[in-house]
Amino acid sequence: MSSVDVPREQWATRIGFIFAAVGSAVGLGNIWRFPFQVGQEGGAAFLLIYLLFILLIGFPAMLVEFVVGRYTERNPVGALQAIGSGLWQYVGWIFIVTTFVILSYYSVVAGWTIRYTLLGLQDGYLADASEAEVQFVDLATGLDAIAFHALFMAIVVVIVAYGIQHGIELAVKVMVPAIIIITVGMAIYAFTLEGASEAYAYYLSPEWGTITAEWTSILPAAAGQAFFTLSLGMGVMITYASYLGEDRNLAEDGAIIIGFDTTIAFITGLIVFPILFTAGVDPADPGAGAIFVSLAAAFGDLTLGWLIGALFFGTVAVAALSSAISLLEVVISYLIDERDISRRTATFGVGVALFLLGIPSASDLVLLDLFDLFADQVLLVLGGLLLMILIGWSLPDLAVEELELGIGDLDSLGSAWIWAVRIPVVLVLFVALALGVLDYYEFLTVDFADWLGDQ
């Protein structure tokens, strides 16, 4: 039984919860971040490690967040206060801070997707890469970027303000099927392009030397990507599971969610890389804006590229929206549960605060990287690591008992899950955190220091 008896909103249907969780996972992490991470980290070598992390790390970690959320029926802060003691009760704040930081710049990037959708429908895309880069800098920073950041955040606020059933659940039941249908259709189109075979070789045939030579870079990037794309380490799955009943099979739901999310990410690679290779664009161009520059240039070089580009960026915008509403719900659930603030007041206030925090990211790409790397490689992994240690080593019996609700006696499977959390999950997250901190320190002392010197 739940440890808390406070009446609470719940999902109207099982498919509503699954679509909401899939929508949270299938967002910019899949369609914006995933392709440029694959490109930066060596193509298929990164893909292989990422898929292993999804299976061996992501699934057990997702179940941990599910059981914590459903057992406590609380937001991350309230949940950790309910089951933790001493310093452990403050771990929930890491999730709140992580979500807040991510959504502040996530909204900026999502604004780019809206702008690039309109760009395709209005003027088309520039085929010359250098011109496309200049165009991106103009559109991704300054008043234009701030305006679309505000537009996107306003849409998110309206949806979340209407609550779980009438806002989030209703929206994702439309958005998620649309994302799936369009991405599959675009993958079929990409298969017909002349650069498809070369792209598939790059994307699907790992070079083992790349893994051994670049593992210190690939490991934290893959771990961060796995957590980012599954919405782990943010408190999203804790919050969404807090609206679940005890009759739900968490393992089955988790497997479905991860299956959809990973499939969409994989299909995105089947779309993006054939387009890039057909247009002769290097997929290894680094940076958060690379996918916009590279893809826009590629679309500008394709027949009907304006239409394909508008369709692609429009799909990314919808996916970003489905994720952003879940991120905002984490913070809103805290204010409702712990501060007794009405949903609409909390949503409007937090939306304004997030818009203001996002202005620096909309003003300079280096500042966006500053927030992105800190959230992705440090905060996400730190929160996840601490939660895994708490559940795996201090509260294993509670976790197994909660997971068994809606499933039945797990016997040895419950023990296997706990030991997976205790050893491989904790170990990989610890190593990824250490390497991520070093990577972020290097960014601060090189890229960010150079930026400060130029100011």
Side-chain angles (χ1 to χ4, degrees):
M1 295 292 293
S2 169
S3 62
V4 180
D5 297 320
V6 178
R8 187 173 180 78
E9 289 185 273
Q10 288 199 340
W11 303 104
T13 62
R14 181 190 185 198
I15 196 67
F17 162 67
I18 290 177
F19 274 2
V22 169
S24 176
V26 177
L28 290 181
N30 296 73
I31 307 177
W32 163 60
R33 173 185 287 277
F34 180 71
F36 86 72
Q37 285 277 31
V38 172
Q40 285 184 177
E41 304 298 340
F46 175 86
L47 176 64
L48 177 62
I49 301 300
Y50 165 75
L51 292 176
L52 288 174
F53 276 10
I54 288 289
L55 178 63
L56 301 178
I57 307 300
F59 183 59
M62 179 174 283
L63 293 184
V64 168
E65 295 204 13
F66 277 176
V67 299
V68 169
R70 189 174 68 176
Y71 176 79
T72 62
E73 297 183 8
R74 276 292 183 267
N75 62 89
V77 172
L80 269 294
Q81 288 175 345
I83 64 175
S85 59
L87 292 177
W88 288 110
Q89 64 182 311
Y90 300 107
V91 171
W93 280 105
I94 297 176
F95 294 104
I96 297 294
V97 172
T98 301
T99 302
F100 205 84
V101 171
I102 288 176
L103 188 51
S104 71
Y105 70 81
Y106 193 99
S107 177
V108 174
V109 178
W112 299 348
T113 66
I114 299 175
R115 184 67 183 88
Y116 267 73
T117 302
L118 297 177
L119 183 66
L121 296 175
Q122 294 171 336
D123 305 320
Y125 304 101
L126 301 175
D128 182 86
S130 60
E131 292 180 358
E133 184 171 3
V134 172
Q135 182 183 54
F136 169 73
V137 173
D138 289 341
L139 297 178
T141 56
L143 292 178
D144 200 79
I146 293 173
F148 281 94
H149 163 47
L151 173 62
F152 181 82
M153 185 56 65
I155 298 172
V156 175
V157 165
V158 169
I159 293 174
V160 174
Y162 276 95
I164 297 300
Q165 294 185 16
H166 301 295
I168 297 174
E169 187 168 351
L170 187 63
V172 296
K173 283 182 176 179
V174 176
M175 291 188 287
V176 172
I179 293 167
I180 294 171
I181 292 170
I182 294 172
T183 52
V184 170
M186 293 193 69
I188 295 172
Y189 160 78
F191 177 76
T192 66
L193 298 176
E194 62 182 26
S197 59
E198 185 181 359
Y200 295 155
Y202 169 82
Y203 183 47
L204 303 177
S205 300
E207 296 182 6
W208 303 110
T210 301
I211 297 177
T212 57
E214 304 293 338
W215 71 272
T216 57
S217 173
I218 292 176
L219 182 62
Q225 175 63 24
F227 263 59
F228 192 101
T229 191
L230 292 177
S231 296
L232 300 175
M234 306 177 189
V236 169
M237 295 305 171
I238 293 176
T239 303
Y240 272 9
S242 73
Y243 302 118
L244 284 175
E246 293 178 347
D247 60 337
R248 299 292 286 276
N249 186 324
L250 297 180
E252 184 177 277
D253 287 354
I256 292 171
I257 292 162
I258 286 179
F260 270 111
D261 172 72
T262 306
T263 299
I264 294 298
F266 179 76
I267 291 175
T268 300
L270 297 179
I271 297 170
V272 170
F273 293 113
I275 292 173
L276 295 179
F277 275 82
T278 298
V281 177
D282 184 3
D285 287 340
I291 203 69
F292 288 89
V293 176
S294 300
L295 274 179
F299 289 135
D301 200 44
L302 295 176
T303 303
L304 294 179
W306 63 272
L307 178 60
I308 302 300
L311 187 63
F312 177 83
F313 286 118
T315 304
V316 180
V318 174
L321 181 60
S322 68
S323 291
I325 58 179
S326 70
L327 295 171
L328 183 56
E329 180 62 23
V330 173
V331 184
I332 300 309
S333 68
Y334 161 74
L335 294 174
I336 293 173
D337 291 344
E338 312 301 328
R339 300 299 178 186
D340 198 26
I341 299 175
S342 71
R343 172 172 287 275
R344 295 195 177 183
T345 299
T347 305
F348 177 77
V350 173
V352 171
L354 285 166
F355 166 71
L356 295 175
L357 183 60
I359 289 177
S361 295
S363 303
D364 197 294
L365 295 176
V366 174
L367 294 178
L368 189 146
D369 284 339
L370 181 74
F371 286 109
D372 179 37
L373 288 173
F374 181 57
D376 175 49
Q377 297 197 17
V378 180
L379 287 178
L380 275 180
V381 185
L382 175 62
L385 173 63
L386 294 177
L387 183 63
M388 298 307 120
I389 293 173
L390 174 63
I391 298 300
W393 290 101
S394 297
L395 301 168
D397 293 338
L398 179 153
V400 172
E401 289 174 7
E402 183 65 28
L403 185 62
E404 287 178 338
L405 296 176
I407 299 177
D409 193 353
L410 291 172
D411 296 322
S412 59
L413 290 178
S415 178
W417 167 55
I418 288 297
W419 278 106
V421 172
R422 285 175 170 174
I423 304 299
V425 173
V426 167
L427 181 61
V428 169
L429 291 179
F430 178 80
V431 173
L433 177 61
L435 294 174
V437 169
L438 291 175
D439 191 40
Y440 190 63
Y441 175 77
E442 182 180 356
F443 169 80
L444 290 176
T445 55
V446 179
D447 296 338
F448 187 62
D450 290 343
W451 179 84
L452 286 175
D454 292 337
Q455 299 307 301

